[in-house]
Every structure is written in structure tokens, then in C-alpha cells.
Amino acid sequence: MMNTKPIAIIGANGKTGRRVCSKLRSQGLTVRGLSRSTPTPFDWQNTATWTRALQGCRSAYITFQPDLAVPGADQAIAQLADVAREVGVEHLVLLSGRGEDGAQRAEGVLKQSGLDWNIVRSGWFAQNFSEGFMQQGIAAGTLALPAGNTPEPFIDVDDIADVVVALLTTSDKRNQLFEVSGPEALTFALCMQIISDVTGKSVQYVDIPIDAFISELDALGADNDVQWLMRELFTVVFDGRNSLPVDGVQQVLGRPATDFFAYAYKAAASGAWLGQPEHKMVV
């Protein structure tokens, strides 16, 4: 008999969460999308919302805000797993981060939770260029970041969503970690060249000092947690430790990961980089 209990998606409005919701619903499955603004709210800062949010669900996909790298994230995951177990959730899928010590602590907590689990350990999203903090700079023609020439195998978020859906809807790969990335490591400068090629307009990458980047974030109103996270990512995590592509997409889906050119073509076709902001944005 088909299991009709809902699948909870924590972070249903995020880059991966909204795609996972859509893909599950397209299969006719019942989904409970969760965020601070959903009819049944879930707020990482308000543990009183967690029990009702997960009550009656069979499994859950977890995206932690702002990032598993931040101090205390592992404690939050431990507490969430306790709540999930108490209300009868059987299986948790956690989106984790490559090369982040805090994320690996959270992974360890999940593995010891007593629940069935999967971990999807991901690097940088390709969609950060088209749906995130880099979009406006690219639309203006200049992306300024403190990333140097470090290559990164950027992953298409649609691939992450496909992996998560497969793990949520089958049981043969439970209690395993899958590390996912794009098929080729590229510098930010090469990414801007590809975006230039597919859009037909010049987009330049400019390397800037980390302090200048953080100062710009502060001027734009980014809170202290975001500033701390960006400094951590660009000065600690983004040091080449994640430059080697990995094959988790192939392991789960039986197909290669989407390359950056295919992602950029898709994003350009959607109009992601249309328009000319009045000034060049750092983020």
C-alpha cells in the first residue's frame, strides 16, 4: 500500500527546497513545505514550531539556515533529530556542505540519531550566479569577489533536487552519504567567460580583498551572521579543498552531473541576467 504520509521539506522556499517540493508533487506525492511563512510554520530560531511542523510526516528534507558552518548548527540538528524521532519521522535527508568542519559535525550527529538518514554533501551552487547574491553584479557586467583563481566544480541545483527526490522516494540507498558536484572545476573568471558566451555580452570577474567585500556587505545591510559566514567561506572553505569533482550525482541517478555551460545556457534562456542595474553590485 502506498505511503500517504507527507514528506516534510524544511526550507521549502530555498533554491533546493522549492525544486524538491515541485518534483515530489509532480510524482503525486503529498508534501508539507515548511518555512517561517508557510501555513504550518517552521522556524530554526523557534524550537516550539518544530513538533507541529513534523507531526505525521514519514520523512523530511533538511536545509539549515543560514549554513551548517555556523557555530551551534550541529546542536540544532541534534535537537531536530530528537523531535523527528519523537513524532515518528523515519528518515531524514540533510543537505550538507563540502569542506565545512561545522557541517561535518552536523553530519555526525545525524548518523547517530537512531533514524534512517542520507547526507547530500554539496559544493557551491551554480544558481548562486543566477538566483543569488552574484546575480546583480553579473547583470551589470562585473562580478567582484575575493575568490582569486581557485577552481570550483559548481553544481546545478536541479541535480541536487533530483538526488534528494531519489533518496526520499526509494529505500535502497539509505544510511549513505553522497558527495555531489559539477563535472568540471572552473575558476570564477572562466565562469564569467562562459556566461559572456551564452549571453552575448561581456561579463568580467574582478578579484577583490576580503575586507573590501565584507565592507560592501555591511553597507548593503547584511547582518553579522551573513558577514561571518561569507568571511568563513572565502577565507577558509574556498581554499581549493573542494576543487576535485566528485561523482555523487552519477552514483544516485545513474547519469553525469550537469556541466556549467548547460546550466548557464538554461539560466540565460530564463532571463536571469537581463537588465542593467544602475550601479555595479559586489554581491
Side-chain angles (χ1 to χ4, degrees):
M1 181 178 295
M2 183 176 178
N3 192 332
T4 58
K5 290 183 178 180
I7 299 173
I9 309 299
I10 298 174
N13 297 325
K15 291 184 185 70
T16 64
R18 67 175 182 269
R19 288 172 165 86
V20 171
C21 284
S22 176
K23 290 174 184 290
L24 289 171
R25 287 173 176 143
S26 73
Q27 295 184 22
L29 298 171
T30 304
V31 176
R32 184 181 294 169
L34 297 170
S35 72
R36 288 179 297 178
S37 61
T38 48
T40 300
F42 180 97
D43 185 347
W44 282 109
Q45 303 302 316
N46 182 4
T47 58
T49 64
W50 296 4
T51 297
R52 181 166 175 256
L54 295 178
Q55 188 77 49
C57 292
R58 54 168 156 152
S59 56
Y61 173 51
I62 305 167
T63 60
F64 182 79
Q65 293 295 325
D67 192 277
L68 288 175
V70 303
D74 56 331
Q75 299 170 29
I77 296 300
Q79 188 170 357
L80 181 71
D82 287 343
V83 171
R85 187 173 56 252
E86 290 168 3
V87 299
V89 175
E90 300 172 358
H91 178 215
L92 299 176
V93 178
L94 175 68
L95 180 65
S96 186
R98 294 185 75 193
E100 298 178 6
D101 292 341
Q104 291 186 26
R105 288 193 294 271
E107 294 172 7
V109 165
L110 183 62
K111 291 176 183 179
Q112 299 301 317
S113 68
L115 298 169
D116 282 350
W117 59 269
N118 283 109
I119 294 163
V120 181
R121 185 189 285 167
S122 171
W124 278 66
F125 297 169
Q127 274 75 5
N128 285 337
F129 292 99
S130 55
E131 300 176 18
F133 69 95
M134 296 185 277
Q135 181 182 17
Q136 287 180 294
I138 293 171
T142 301
L143 179 64
L145 290 173
N149 293 315
T150 303
E152 170 73 17
F154 299 97
I155 182 166
D156 190 323
V157 170
D158 287 322
D159 284 351
I160 298 175
D162 285 341
V163 166
V164 170
V165 168
L167 297 175
L168 286 169
T169 56
T170 60
S171 59
D172 60 310
K173 293 182 175 62
R174 288 193 179 181
N175 303 317
Q176 296 182 59
L177 182 154
F178 296 96
E179 196 161 357
V180 297
S181 77
E184 181 181 14
L186 302 168
T187 64
F188 275 87
L190 285 172
C191 290
M192 293 308 98
Q193 183 58 58
I194 291 171
I195 291 173
S196 297
D197 291 343
V198 300
T199 59
K201 68 177 185 180
S202 176
V203 184
Q204 303 295 320
Y205 168 70
V206 177
D207 187 44
I208 61 172
I210 183 64
D211 287 340
F213 177 64
I214 298 300
S215 293
E216 181 69 11
L217 287 177
D218 187 59
L220 292 169
D223 62 31
N224 290 336
D225 286 345
V226 170
Q227 293 182 41
W228 179 92
L229 176 61
M230 287 297 172
R231 187 179 290 276
E232 175 79 2
L233 291 176
F234 280 109
T235 62
V236 178
V237 178
F238 205 74
D239 62 356
R241 69 183 67 183
N242 297 328
S243 293
L244 183 67
V246 287
D247 65 350
V249 173
Q250 180 77 46
Q251 291 176 33
V252 177
L253 302 178
R255 65 163 176 82
T258 304
D259 64 42
F260 192 84
F261 181 88
Y263 149 74
Y265 185 87
K266 175 175 61 177
S270 74
W273 299 302
L274 296 177
Q276 294 292 335
E278 294 181 0
H279 60 286
K280 297 177 180 179
M281 302 285 289
V282 172
V283 296

